[in-house]
Amino acid sequence: MNNKNKIEQLKQNGYSLDLGDVISQSFENYKKIALNAGIATLIVSIVLIALIFGGIGIFFGFTDLASNMADFHVSNFSAITLILYVIGTSLVAAIIYPFTAGIFKMANEAEMGRATSMSTAFDHYKSDSFKNLFLTGLLLGFLTNFLAVLFQYFHLDIIGTLVTYIVTFFAVFAIPLVIFEKNEPTEAILNSFALVIKQPFVILIALIVSAIIAMVGIIGLCIGIFFTLPVIYSTQYILFKNAIGVETKNEMEEIGMNTDL
């Protein structure tokens, strides 16, 4: 069965997920990637925070940065400024997507029994999947940020936040669909929505549990969250693996198979 037929069959017939298995497998996977993924996440976060605050400072002015941030609301800005804001935040999302895909690759290698390295987190910046990952991030980033700005403009901030969370939730399989199933950007987004709707409650509970575990990292002088955050990626990977399926033969199994032949 080719990939497209498999996805179509799962969209029609659904799939089963055991919450207990997902949580236990996610934690086991997380333990294998925690250090390398945590260091990579810390490095990327520092760079992104510096770039974002640098960009905001240049745009609004460093002297009034604190007051502008405190008074930030879309109704205070012109249409051109809001368009630039949506484009800028969408580009940030697009840039992050290949990194997130690298963490998924790290989780997959750990599941196959392979040694992982921090550099794996950056592999997709030079892989064939980079373009589709970038475009997927750009599309989803534009959609969520546009909706957030639209609702905020009409002073419906809570509804806007809720809508963006819903979109992000249903797009949780978009990245693995691009890297493991070779979906195109729009195809990955639409397939993710169609697949998540088959088991929304199990997926939601698993992600909430992983988010709670990730927040424990705040106790470690806040820096610890960078090393607990990868548990969310491990959970997303395990959810996808258990729902859709990912090749996870380890090297010893492959050697055994070749010997038998």
Side-chain angles (χ1 to χ4, degrees), residues 23-245:
I23 292 173
S24 61
Q25 290 172 27
S26 298
F27 192 69
E28 288 302 313
N29 183 270
Y30 160 70
K31 289 192 293 185
K32 298 173 185 176
I33 70 168
L35 181 60
N36 288 325
I39 294 172
T41 302
L42 177 60
I43 293 170
V44 169
S45 298
I46 291 172
V47 172
L48 278 176
I49 289 169
L51 290 174
I52 290 169
F53 276 94
I56 292 173
I58 292 170
F59 195 76
F60 292 109
F62 288 100
T63 54
D64 299 322
L65 181 59
S67 60
N68 282 325
M69 290 294 290
D71 297 333
F72 181 83
H73 195 278
V74 296
S75 60
N76 297 328
F77 300 99
S78 67
I80 300 247
T81 302
L82 292 177
I83 290 170
L84 290 174
Y85 169 78
V86 170
I87 292 173
T89 50
S90 301
L91 284 171
V92 170
I95 291 168
I96 292 173
Y97 261 53
F99 171 75
T100 306
I103 303 295
F104 279 116
K105 181 180 179 182
M106 192 184 293
N108 188 49
E109 289 185 348
E111 201 69 9
M112 291 191 288
R114 296 176 182 172
T116 62
S117 67
M118 188 188 71
S119 63
T120 302
F122 305 96
D123 280 356
H124 282 293
Y125 285 101
K126 56 183 184 292
S127 77
D128 294 337
S129 298
F130 172 78
K131 182 186 77 171
N132 284 339
L133 288 167
F134 184 89
L135 290 175
T136 302
L138 192 65
L139 287 171
L140 283 171
F142 182 83
L143 177 61
T144 54
N145 286 302
F146 173 78
L147 290 172
V149 167
L150 182 64
F151 281 103
Q152 284 179 34
Y153 186 81
F154 292 104
H155 299 281
L156 300 170
D157 299 34
I158 295 175
I159 295 176
T161 301
L162 182 61
V163 169
T164 57
Y165 281 159
I166 290 171
V167 172
T168 303
F169 169 69
F170 280 101
V172 72
F173 286 160
I175 291 177
L177 282 167
V178 170
I179 60 177
F180 297 126
E181 300 295 329
K182 305 305 178 186
N183 279 193
E184 296 294 317
T186 53
E187 183 184 23
I189 294 168
L190 293 174
N191 281 340
S192 180
F193 273 63
L195 289 166
V196 171
I197 198 66
K198 294 295 182 180
Q199 287 283 0
F201 299 111
V202 174
I203 295 172
L204 179 62
I205 294 170
L207 291 175
I208 289 173
V209 170
S210 68
I212 292 170
I213 295 172
M215 294 304 291
V216 173
I218 293 176
I219 298 172
L221 300 176
C222 294
I223 295 177
I225 195 169
F226 295 108
F227 294 90
T228 54
L229 193 62
V231 72
I232 296 176
Y233 300 131
S234 286
T235 301
Q236 292 177 358
Y237 166 76
I238 293 296
L239 282 166
F240 184 84
K241 181 181 79 72
N242 289 6
I244 284 78

